[in-house]
Amino acid sequence: MRKKLVDSHLTLREKILETIREAILKGALKPGEKVAEPELAERFGISRTPIREAFRQLESEGYLTVIPRKGAVVASLSERDVEEFYAIKSILEGYAARMAAEKMTEKDIERLEGINERLEKLAREGDVKNFFRVHNDFHECFIRAAGNEKLLELISQLLLKFNRLRMASLSLPGRMEISVQEHRKIIDAFKKRQGERAESLVTKTAAYGGQLLIQSMAQKEGREVETSILYQVGDV
């Protein structure tokens, strides 16, 4: 009985997380807007404790800012946030790819191919949520194959903090399909043990995702995109 209650609690917490994430990504909740605990408590018929737990996770992912005695508000995003995150991501993951090319086993490569086949199917179905989850598996596979635990830990912490940016980038029209194509090239580099090529491909892929997101942000605000440091990082 206790386990069922715990499972139910976790499921409900996930529903709260998904509800807020979707509202923010779709623009129903805008930057600076307060996310009210009482409304969520009434909607889900629960106490505020699991809602506060969800708020803490969403803050760690970059969706919310929790202000003492005021509550949670939707975190603002800037082009600088996008530039800095994707610049760091591209460098760290690029280095991991170069190391992985030397150490990756045939089983690792087979796993990457299997993951990318699932991603291709999800892209056709337009399933961004599951694409995001499986996409994480693809990157974790080659980062783990690099054999540097500190690097894996550092990248994992960085990605968690900026989940919102990554989901927003993958949600852009055509981005999932492009990601699958990019992965094929990366896998080919791993097969041929081409460390420098793998590093270059992963670096450019990350920078490209960031640049697309910056362009999307600028278009929504009706302005031109200024030259980004991501052009220098990824040569996109």
Side-chain angles (χ1 to χ4, degrees):
M1 175 65 76
R2 185 175 181 181
K3 185 177 186 299
K4 287 185 178 179
L5 289 172
V6 171
D7 289 345
S8 175
H9 171 71
L10 289 174
T11 301
L12 189 55
R13 181 166 169 271
E14 280 301 318
K15 287 181 180 177
I16 297 168
L17 290 168
E18 286 302 312
T19 297
I20 299 174
R21 284 190 192 113
E22 284 190 19
I24 293 172
L25 288 170
K26 292 179 178 178
L29 284 172
K30 303 188 183 307
E33 188 173 340
K34 186 173 181 180
V35 183
E37 283 184 24
E39 290 179 15
L40 287 169
E42 183 177 352
R43 175 174 177 176
F44 289 98
I46 56 173
S47 70
R48 296 190 185 183
T49 299
I51 294 173
R52 288 170 185 162
E53 290 174 0
F55 281 2
R56 282 195 291 272
Q57 179 166 336
L58 290 166
E59 184 176 35
S60 74
E61 295 177 4
Y63 287 90
L64 300 178
T65 299
V66 179
I67 304 171
R69 295 183 295 280
K70 289 188 178 181
V73 297
V74 179
S76 298
L77 286 181
S78 69
E79 286 186 11
R80 183 168 182 174
D81 292 327
V82 179
E83 286 184 339
E84 292 179 350
F85 163 64
Y86 278 97
I88 295 169
K89 179 179 186 289
S90 65
I91 293 167
L92 293 178
E93 288 195 346
Y95 173 73
R98 178 155 57 91
M99 294 297 100
E102 301 171 6
K103 302 177 180 179
M104 189 163 285
T105 66
E106 291 299 321
K107 188 175 180 179
D108 290 329
I109 292 172
E110 287 175 7
R111 181 160 186 259
L112 287 176
E113 289 179 322
I115 291 172
N116 208 39
E117 286 174 6
R118 295 207 303 276
L119 288 173
E120 185 174 18
K121 181 175 182 291
L122 292 169
R124 285 197 303 268
E125 296 169 353
D127 189 344
V128 180
K129 287 182 194 174
N130 281 314
F131 188 97
F132 179 75
R133 177 180 56 79
V134 179
H135 183 268
N136 288 342
D137 293 340
F138 183 93
H139 284 255
E140 183 182 341
C141 181
F142 75 75
I143 294 168
R144 194 174 290 278
N148 186 322
E149 289 297 324
K150 292 291 183 289
L151 180 63
L152 174 64
E153 182 181 345
L154 186 61
I155 293 175
S156 297
Q157 291 172 349
L158 177 71
L159 297 186
L160 177 62
K161 186 173 177 61
F162 292 96
N163 268 350
R164 179 185 179 186
L165 297 184
R166 296 164 58 227
M167 177 66 88
S169 180
L170 286 173
S171 299
L172 295 173
R175 182 66 187 117
M176 288 189 289
E177 289 80 3
I178 292 171
S179 179
V180 171
Q181 295 168 17
E182 292 167 339
H183 288 171
R184 290 196 191 107
K185 296 175 185 175
I186 293 167
I187 292 170
D188 183 66
F190 286 142
K191 283 181 176 179
K192 295 174 180 176
R193 307 297 174 186
Q194 296 173 334
E196 288 186 12
R197 179 171 169 239
E199 179 177 23
S200 177
L201 287 167
V202 169
T203 298
K204 289 179 180 179
T205 294
Y208 178 64
Q211 190 58 40
L212 280 181
L213 186 53
I214 288 174
Q215 289 172 348
S216 174
M217 292 167 68
Q219 286 170 0
K220 287 179 181 177
E221 296 172 11
R223 57 183 173 78
E224 294 292 325
V225 182
E226 297 179 4
T227 301
S228 166
I229 60 171
L230 293 175
Y231 278 114
Q232 301 167 20
V233 171
D235 190 27
V236 295

